[in-house]
């Protein structure tokens, strides 16, 4: 049986592959600032995407959207601000959610939602 960390790493790898196959350039993975972390930072069409990956077992009770609570939103905003200051990124930014479900056969199903926090920049 796969543990939570292994499932999360596999879900992130699946998301990276999906992003690349859809024209995103992966800039960073698991970028940390103080005690904040961004799972994936990618660019596409002049927009920097801060991608939060939530991997759950198929049929999990808590949805990926429920995990993006006020505390997580604040942490994402702080990390985004730190990253854009350090890199001097001046174009559009947005936060996207990759909700990944791990199936029993080892496959994954992903629901990708761009612009989950609104007001951060352009949507695709």
């Amino acid at each position: 049986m796969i543990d939570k960390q292994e499932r999360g790493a596999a879900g992130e790898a699946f998301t990276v592959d999906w992003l690349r196959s859809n024209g995103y350039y992966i800039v960073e993975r698991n970028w940390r600032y103080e005690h904040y972390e961004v799972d994936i930072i990618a660019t596409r069409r002049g927009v920097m995407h801060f991608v939060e990956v939530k991997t759950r077992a198929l049929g999990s009770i808590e949805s990926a959207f429920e995990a993006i609570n006020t505390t997580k939103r604040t942490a994402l905003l702080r990390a985004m601000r730190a990253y854009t200051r350090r890199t001097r990124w001046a174009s559009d930014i947005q936060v996207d959610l990759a909700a990944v479900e791990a199936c029993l056969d080892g496959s994954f199903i992903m629901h990708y939602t761009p612009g989950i926090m609104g007001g951060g920049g352009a949507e695709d």
Side-chain angles (χ1 to χ4, degrees):
M1 179 146 204
I2 191 168
D3 72 17
K4 187 177 176 181
Q5 275 189 318
E6 291 172 323
R7 183 172 48 237
E12 272 190 30
F14 178 82
T15 302
V16 165
D17 290 344
W18 184 90
L19 289 168
R20 284 184 176 138
S21 70
N22 283 279
Y24 292 80
Y25 173 76
I26 306 303
V27 178
E28 302 272 357
R29 288 184 70 179
N30 304 111
W31 184 81
R32 291 187 177 279
Y33 169 73
E34 294 177 354
H35 60 275
Y36 306 115
E37 180 184 3
V38 178
D39 295 326
I40 301 168
I41 301 172
T43 58
R44 187 174 84 158
R45 298 182 189 150
V47 177
M48 183 168 289
H49 299 261
F50 293 82
V51 183
E52 180 65 18
V53 181
K54 293 295 181 190
T55 305
R56 303 281 188 262
L58 187 63
S60 178
I61 294 171
E62 180 188 41
S63 78
F65 284 101
E66 291 172 321
I68 309 296
N69 58 26
T70 303
T71 302
K72 184 62 178 178
R73 287 175 185 266
T74 300
L76 281 167
L77 285 171
R78 287 184 179 154
M80 285 174 28
R81 286 184 190 125
Y83 190 84
T84 55
R85 271 195 313 268
R86 288 180 179 200
T87 61
R88 298 179 184 203
W89 182 265
S91 293
D92 290 335
I93 60 173
Q94 74 181 38
V95 178
D96 301 344
L97 173 64
V100 181
E101 292 181 294
C103 301
L104 292 175
D105 65 0
S107 64
F108 295 95
I109 301 167
M110 183 175 55
H111 307 279
Y112 193 81
T113 307
I116 64 166
M117 290 174 54
E123 301 242 355
D124 291 330

